[in-house]
Amino acid sequence: MAGTPAGTPERLLLVDDHPVVRTGCRRLLASAGPYEIMEADSGARALELCETEPPDAVILDLGLPDIGGLDLLDRLRRMSPDIRVLVFSMHEDAVFAARALEAGARGYVTKNDAPEELVAAVGTVLAGGIYLSRDMAREVAVMSFVPNRSPLQGLTARELRVLAELGQGSAIADIAEHLGVSYKTVSNTCTIMKTKLGARSIRDLIRIAVEHRVMP
């Protein structure tokens, strides 16, 4: 991605479907630097803006209504391999941070972190670095030395999305519609997840999703 010309405010794209979150982030970042801030409330809108008005960095929530956050991250990187994406998520499990970094994100901040963490993360990502809070960095590092520390660690991005939808009460047919795939594909994904997670039924998968607070 081409850099912003000297003297021009760096352009940020906030991608979150909650207006209150976007408003809070906009105010916080506006007070932290001379940023030009765009907003998108869906994955489709984010893709459109990244194509027509390429940002210097994207601040991305994983829980979007139309496209899974990790799926969107993959699409953004295919559109622009050098794009700088900072994930800003409610998920505090290190498995999500590890997944995001593996998918090409340049940082991961949770919505429960102090506001200063988001400001610092944006600055680091814009400067070309990678940002994790100290606690999250330690947990991600530990994961690399303790195989299967989290039962979610072995799931793919699609499997995590399906599990999250199950935890929200969605039926398999509804999940298939949301993901734009067949009923059989989602059913097969559930079968694979049951094997990976040691679950015997869809009810077990729902319990796992709720216990680990997996959100779409």
Side-chain angles (χ1 to χ4, degrees):
M1 179 176 292
T4 301
T8 302
E10 290 175 296
R11 180 181 292 166
L12 305 176
L13 172 59
L14 294 172
V15 186
D16 196 296
D17 62 323
H18 295 94
V20 172
V21 173
R22 295 199 308 273
T23 298
C25 287
R26 173 183 284 275
R27 289 175 178 171
L28 176 65
L29 294 169
S31 67
Y35 299 127
E36 177 186 343
I37 302 174
M38 304 184 297
E39 297 182 19
D41 62 359
S42 67
R45 179 59 175 157
L47 289 169
E48 179 184 340
L49 286 173
C50 283
E51 185 171 11
T52 59
E53 302 179 66
D56 294 292
V58 178
I59 302 169
L60 174 65
D61 178 31
L62 294 181
L64 299 172
D66 59 338
I67 303 174
L70 294 177
D71 288 340
L72 177 59
L73 174 57
D74 180 63
R75 294 192 199 186
L76 290 172
R77 294 197 69 240
R78 281 190 275 118
M79 178 186 294
S80 178
D82 296 326
I83 195 167
R84 297 166 181 169
V85 178
L86 170 66
V87 171
F88 183 49
S89 173
M90 68 178 294
H91 298 299
E92 297 185 63
D93 193 320
V95 68
F96 287 96
R99 278 279 181 271
L101 294 177
E102 288 170 3
R106 303 302 298 271
Y108 192 98
V109 177
T110 79
K111 294 181 180 180
N112 286 328
D113 285 329
E116 294 78 15
E117 291 273 11
L118 179 60
V119 172
V122 169
T124 298
V125 169
L126 284 171
I130 295 177
Y131 189 93
L132 288 174
S133 69
R134 182 176 301 176
D135 289 344
M136 185 64 77
R138 182 168 54 246
E139 289 189 42
V140 170
V142 167
M143 283 178 59
S144 66
F145 292 103
V146 184
N148 299 321
R149 174 176 175 267
S150 168
L152 306 181
Q153 190 172 341
L155 300 186
T156 66
R158 171 170 286 180
E159 288 164 356
L160 281 169
R161 178 70 188 276
V162 171
L163 185 64
E165 295 260 10
L166 287 172
Q168 292 295 297
S170 296
I172 290 179
D174 294 330
I175 298 172
E177 182 178 353
H178 296 164
L179 298 183
V181 298
S182 69
Y183 181 99
K184 183 176 180 180
T185 295
V186 177
S187 181
N188 288 343
T189 298
C190 290
T191 298
I192 293 169
M193 285 195 296
K194 283 188 283 188
T195 299
K196 289 183 176 181
L197 298 174
R200 291 185 293 181
S201 64
I202 293 295
R203 179 174 295 179
D204 286 344
L205 291 178
I206 294 171
R207 175 184 53 77
I208 290 169
V210 172
E211 286 180 353
H212 290 273
R213 293 183 288 182
V214 183
M215 300 291 289

